[in-house]
């Protein structure tokens, strides 16, 4: 009996020590460290292009094509930024871009949340059929609808205005409607019943109960839409002819075609266009990730 007890104790000690004489805590710590090192290396791999972009924007032309490559400019040529931005109306194009992006975000969040609430919380005849019809529109590439949309906006007299880039968002975006619908389905229906008993209308339930709980999902929709409008190139290229209405993405293309491939200036302008998006993502990173995590694929 004593031998059996001693053998079991030794087996327990060996099991606790683990492979290579490491305890379970040490193995978990080593695993976490290896995961962090791997994530750091992957993050560094994705960070290198942006670092090269900023580094090139601060170099002289001679340093850009030097072999081996110069990672840290010497000296820093800060003049690339004011010189490049002085060649096109940067502030005017920034204003146009912000008007489009902010308006599109506001209209998308309002319209998509209303439609998603109808598809997820209200019961009406033909709801599921119409929802699947809406989802089918996501399978149509933009190239298919580009010409009909242009003809329609031209007949309305909206070509060469900002309206074709803003107004369509007032009718909802299918992907964002689907995203919000999936989030709304995860909320208990008892909340709706309690609010209705307290005297809320359907709009009151949406405004007072659903939307406050859906802030992560709404922030995700707003961030996606802002990025899409900020980086949009094909839309302004199709509908805008007046240089005073150009956005930054279209203005940069005109800038490159006008001054030629001035790599230092081009990288400086591209950095100015990219940095606000990165800063915005870091400020909203936690809410964005929370919204993605909470928005499941629920039937």
């Amino acid at each position: 009996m004593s031998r059996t007890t001693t053998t079991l104790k030794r087996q327990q000690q060996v099991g606790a020590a683990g492979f290579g004489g490491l305890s379970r805590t040490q193995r978990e710590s080593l695993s976490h460290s290896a995961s962090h090192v791997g994530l750091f290396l992957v993050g560094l791999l994705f960070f290198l292009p942006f670092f090269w972009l900023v580094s090139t924007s601060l170099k002289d032309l001679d340093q850009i094509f030097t072999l081996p490559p110069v990672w840290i400019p010497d000296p820093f040529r800060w003049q690339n930024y004011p010189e490049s931005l002085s060649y096109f109306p940067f502030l005017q194009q920034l204003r146009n871009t912000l008007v489009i992006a902010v308006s599109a975000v506001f209209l998308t969040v309002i319209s998509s949340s209303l439609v998603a609430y109808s598809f997820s919380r209200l019961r009406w005849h033909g709801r599921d059929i119409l929802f699947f019809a809406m989802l089918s529109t996501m399978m149509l590439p933009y190239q298919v609808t580009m010409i009909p949309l242009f003809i329609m906006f031209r007949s309305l007299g909206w070509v060469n205005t900002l309206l074709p880039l803003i107004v369509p968002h007032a009718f909802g975006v299918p992907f964002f409607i689907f995203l919000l619908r999936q989030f709304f389905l995860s909320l208990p229906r008892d909340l709706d019943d309690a609010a209705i008993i307290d005297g809320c209308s359907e709009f009151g339930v949406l405004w007072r109960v659903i939307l406050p709980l859906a802030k992560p999902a709404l922030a995700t929709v707003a961030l996606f839409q802002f990025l899409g409008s900020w980086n949009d190139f094909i839309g302004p290229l199709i509908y805008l002819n007046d240089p005073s209405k150009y956005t930054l993405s279209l203005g940069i293309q005109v800038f490159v075609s006008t001054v030629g491939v001035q790599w230092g200036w081009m990288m400086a302008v591209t950095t100015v266009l990219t940095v606000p998006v990165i800063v915005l993502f870091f400020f909203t990173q936690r809410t964005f990730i929370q919204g993605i995590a909470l928005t499941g694929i629920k039937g």
Side-chain angles (χ1 to χ4, degrees):
M1 186 70 180
S2 59
R3 290 182 179 180
T4 304
T5 303
T6 304
T7 303
L8 290 175
K9 288 182 178 180
R10 289 180 178 177
Q11 291 177 352
Q12 292 175 356
Q13 292 175 356
V14 172
F19 180 77
L22 297 178
S23 64
R24 178 179 298 176
T25 304
Q26 291 174 331
R27 292 200 310 272
E28 291 179 353
S29 177
L30 184 61
S31 176
H32 286 308
S33 300
S35 300
H36 282 81
V37 170
L39 292 174
F40 174 79
L41 294 177
V42 173
L44 184 63
L45 181 65
F46 283 95
F47 176 74
L48 282 178
F50 178 73
F51 178 80
W52 182 255
L53 172 70
V54 177
S55 175
T56 306
S57 70
L58 297 172
K59 293 177 183 177
D60 290 320
L61 186 61
D62 296 336
Q63 297 184 48
I64 295 176
F65 298 100
T66 301
L67 290 177
V70 177
W71 291 94
I72 306 297
D74 186 23
F76 289 92
R77 195 176 190 281
W78 298 101
Q79 295 87 345
N80 284 340
Y81 285 88
E83 290 176 358
S84 60
L85 296 179
S86 64
Y87 268 81
F88 68 103
F90 171 75
L91 293 179
Q92 184 182 64
Q93 294 177 5
L94 175 62
R95 183 194 63 188
N96 295 335
T97 306
L98 288 176
V99 168
I100 294 173
V102 173
S103 302
V105 167
F106 176 77
L107 293 176
T108 298
V109 170
I110 296 298
S111 60
S112 298
S113 59
L114 287 172
V115 178
Y117 179 80
S118 176
F119 279 139
S120 60
R121 317 297 287 190
L122 303 181
R123 296 180 178 89
W124 43 278
H125 183 69
R127 182 189 66 175
D128 295 336
I129 296 176
L130 190 59
F131 174 70
F132 284 113
M134 183 209 68
L135 289 182
S136 65
T137 62
M138 296 173 57
M139 304 177 188
L140 293 175
Y142 181 70
Q143 291 79 2
V144 174
T145 60
M146 183 169 56
I147 296 177
L149 284 174
F150 179 82
I151 295 173
M152 180 183 68
F153 290 135
R154 186 182 61 181
S155 64
L156 293 173
W158 288 4
V159 174
N160 201 28
T161 68
L162 302 182
L163 294 178
L165 306 173
I166 297 175
V167 174
H169 297 93
F171 300 94
V173 179
F175 174 71
F176 297 144
I177 293 173
F178 170 75
L179 196 70
L180 291 175
R181 173 186 178 271
Q182 302 309 112
F183 185 88
F184 291 166
L185 286 175
S186 65
L187 301 177
R189 289 190 174 273
D190 295 341
L191 299 174
D192 302 24
D193 298 335
I196 292 174
I197 291 174
D198 290 338
C200 281
S201 61
E202 290 293 348
F203 182 78
V205 173
L206 172 66
W207 182 256
R208 298 177 181 274
V209 179
I210 302 300
L211 292 185
L213 296 175
K215 287 180 179 178
L218 295 176
T220 302
V221 170
L223 182 59
F224 272 138
Q225 182 57 59
F226 183 86
L227 294 179
S229 298
W230 181 270
N231 296 321
D232 186 22
F233 174 75
I234 189 66
L237 180 64
I238 294 174
Y239 297 113
L240 301 180
N241 301 322
D242 188 356
S244 64
K245 297 182 175 66
Y246 283 176
T247 60
L248 283 175
S249 57
L250 185 57
I252 290 177
Q253 177 62 32
V254 175
F255 164 77
V256 173
S257 61
T258 301
V259 303
V261 184
Q262 299 287 342
W263 289 103
W265 290 1
M266 189 169 65
M267 294 298 180
V269 174
T270 306
T271 302
V272 172
L273 182 64
T274 306
V275 166
V277 176
I278 297 177
V279 173
L280 177 65
F281 175 77
F282 274 106
F283 274 107
T284 59
Q285 180 181 10
R286 179 174 298 179
T287 305
F288 173 74
I289 294 176
Q290 184 181 6
I292 291 295
L294 294 177
T295 307
I297 308 300
K298 183 176 180 180

